Amino acid sequence: MKINKILILIFFANINSVYIISQINDAVSYFPLKPGNKWVYSFYSTQFGQSGRFSRQVTSTNIYNGHIYYSYGGYYQRIDSLTANRYYYSSSNGCQWSPFDRMGDSLSAALNDTIKYDCGANYKVCSDTNLRELFGTFRRTKNFRLGNNGIIFARNFGIMELYTQSGNIFYVEHLRGCIIDGVVYGDTSLVGLNQISSEVPENYSLSQNYPNPFNPLTYIDFRIADFGFVKLTVFDVIGKEVEILLNRDLQPGSYKVDWDASAYPSGVYYYKLETEDYSETKKMVLIK
């Protein structure tokens, strides 16, 4: 009888462990930090009436205090595999846990859970876990609020929306497209695509960017001879992809794209235009 009770306890303990692991894995999926994954956002600020698009991409990793951190949005971040807490790397020793970990969010939080933020000086609340439409399908989300500021994560897609408000100044970001594990969702093209002419060109062509050298903004003209999928990509001097400027279907015509390289160091870059029937690469130089 004692053996049977022990076996029953072990059985339920194993089931509970599997359930906990499943819950943590599901929570971690709300922010898929992985090299190569990329997100494109639109933004609007009432302060200067500014709007536009920008991208964030996991470009590198680093190890601090035995943990792997991923570069994202100007910070090194990680998701703890045991708690699904999101941490920022910090060299400050002011936090009560690790001098390297500054708390961001707890992706395992349930509705109305309160989370210590940063070094415990503030508290976020998981204010809702609603379904929201994203890329044509409803996704489970988690909204973490701190006063008038908030951040919304969508399962399997990461940060869907970020908003802040201070007095009459309001700022918001919306996810417009992303590349997760090599799969493209939504519109991953950046701001600055303008159709110059709808006249159908005889041939495909890619022009030299101008100005060149440039700092930090440059323009790229190209012509599309037939309807289809068009991709315009920027690579660094060693051939590493640094930016996808265009990734969508286009009608025939002449187009212009601008690239803002403010976030990149000086150096030689290459841009490549690809369609089903055409591919061409040109060189450009960023000097700061």
Side-chain angles (χ1 to χ4, degrees), residues 153-226:
F153 293 86
R155 179 189 286 161
N156 299 323
F157 290 98
I159 297 173
M160 174 181 175
E161 185 176 306
L162 182 147
Y163 53 94
T164 64
Q165 184 172 3
S166 178
N168 295 325
I169 299 174
F170 181 74
Y171 174 84
V172 63
E173 297 174 4
H174 292 286
L175 180 63
R176 296 304 182 189
C178 56
I179 303 173
I180 306 295
D181 294 329
V183 180
V184 178
Y185 301 90
D187 181 4
T188 57
S189 61
L190 296 179
V191 66
L193 175 67
N194 294 299
Q195 186 168 6
I196 302 171
S197 171
S198 59
E199 183 178 348
V200 180
E202 293 184 4
N203 301 298
Y204 292 92
S205 66
L206 177 64
S207 299
Q208 185 65 50
N209 68 298
Y210 59 94
N212 189 42
F214 67 98
N215 177 31
L217 189 66
T218 192
Y219 300 91
I220 301 169
D221 291 352
F222 60 92
R223 294 179 179 178
I224 301 300
D226 197 7

Side-chain angles (χ1 to χ4, degrees), residues 55-174:
S55 68
R56 296 190 179 108
Q57 185 170 357
V58 178
T59 56
S60 63
T61 61
N62 218 328
I63 297 178
Y64 301 107
N65 205 26
H67 298 296
I68 299 177
Y69 289 77
Y70 300 84
S71 63
Y72 175 87
Y75 299 92
Y76 276 99
Q77 306 184 34
R78 73 179 181 92
I79 308 297
D80 189 86
S81 60
L82 298 179
T83 63
N85 291 341
R86 180 170 71 110
Y87 294 108
Y88 297 87
Y89 167 77
S90 172
S91 59
S92 169
N93 198 25
C95 295
Q96 61 189 26
W97 36 85
S98 164
F100 298 97
D101 285 333
R102 299 181 77 99
M103 184 74 159
D105 313 280
S106 180
L107 300 179
S108 60
L111 182 63
N112 296 324
D113 280 357
T114 301
I115 304 103
K116 286 185 178 181
Y117 170 69
D118 199 11
C119 293
N122 298 296
Y123 292 85
K124 282 186 176 182
V125 176
C126 184
S127 60
D128 72 61
T129 55
N130 295 330
L131 290 171
R132 287 181 169 84
E133 188 174 2
L134 182 64
F135 308 136
T137 304
F138 283 92
R139 319 281 181 175
R140 179 63 63 186
T141 64
K142 292 187 179 184
N143 185 358
F144 295 93
R145 293 184 63 91
L146 177 63
N148 293 325
N149 306 326
I151 186 170
I152 301 174
F153 293 86
R155 179 189 286 161
N156 299 323
F157 290 98
I159 297 173
M160 174 181 175
E161 185 176 306
L162 182 147
Y163 53 94
T164 64
Q165 184 172 3
S166 178
N168 295 325
I169 299 174
F170 181 74
Y171 174 84
V172 63
E173 297 174 4
H174 292 286

